[in-house]
Amino acid sequence: MLIETRPALDPELAALVTAQQRELTDAGARAGERIFEPRDDIEYLVGVVNGRAVACGGWRAGEPEVAEITRMYVRPAHRGRGLGRQMIVALEEEALAAGRPVIRLQTAAHLLAVIALYQSSGYARIPAYGDPRNVCFEKRLPALVQ
């Protein structure tokens, strides 16, 4: 998978996030809560396979040295191939290069496959922040070798 940085208004990114939101709504998220509003404070990455955008993720700066992963999604037809894990690694690398060695994220408690992916990628559960209905995770990355 080729992973590219994309602007917030990229139409392929918007299509991926719209698909993510539709899937979340179908899985039990309350309708109306999932509206894609492009944000300039999020660094977006898009995964491309055979010229087609099939995965996305983003990160944004939090408190000092902290980044939050957001908008992680892989199209269903491309799951089970390690693309989500590749996206996580790319997001971690981008955040670490920006001086943010602590990565946090939140996800819905009923998304068990998503939770398993994060846990198998080294994320540990932390107390909830943001939406109290979500579960939150954190990972501390090793420092870059200069």
Side-chain angles (χ1 to χ4, degrees):
M1 174 171 72
L2 173 67
I3 299 177
E4 307 171 336
T5 301
R6 296 284 180 94
L9 294 175
D10 180 80
E12 290 182 308
L13 172 66
L16 287 165
V17 174
T18 299
Q20 174 205 36
Q21 292 169 342
R22 189 175 313 115
E23 193 171 322
L24 288 171
T25 299
D26 292 347
R30 288 190 283 186
E33 288 185 0
R34 305 285 181 189
I35 298 172
F36 179 51
E37 297 175 6
R39 295 177 49 163
D40 290 333
D41 65 334
I42 297 176
E43 298 292 326
Y44 293 103
L45 300 179
V46 170
V48 179
V49 174
N50 297 324
R52 182 165 184 243
V54 300
C56 66
W59 72 272
R60 65 178 163 218
E63 57 196 69
E65 298 193 353
V66 176
E68 181 182 19
I69 289 179
T70 185
R71 300 294 181 207
M72 275 287 301
Y73 181 71
V74 176
R75 288 196 182 275
H78 293 272
R79 292 181 186 158
R81 301 178 192 179
L83 303 183
R85 192 172 311 279
Q86 288 178 47
M87 184 61 69
I88 290 170
V89 170
L91 292 165
E92 291 173 349
E93 288 173 352
E94 293 279 327
L96 187 57
R100 302 200 173 264
V102 178
I103 312 295
R104 292 185 183 144
L105 60 95
Q106 56 182 313
T107 191
H110 67 278
L111 299 177
L112 301 181
V114 173
I115 291 169
L117 172 64
Y118 288 127
Q119 289 177 320
S120 69
S121 296
Y123 285 79
R125 192 157 176 187
I126 60 171
Y129 65 90
D131 187 337
R133 296 172 294 174
N134 289 340
V135 292
C136 300
F137 294 89
E138 179 178 283
K139 181 177 180 180
R140 294 183 181 274
L141 303 173
L144 286 173
V145 176
Q146 305 260 347

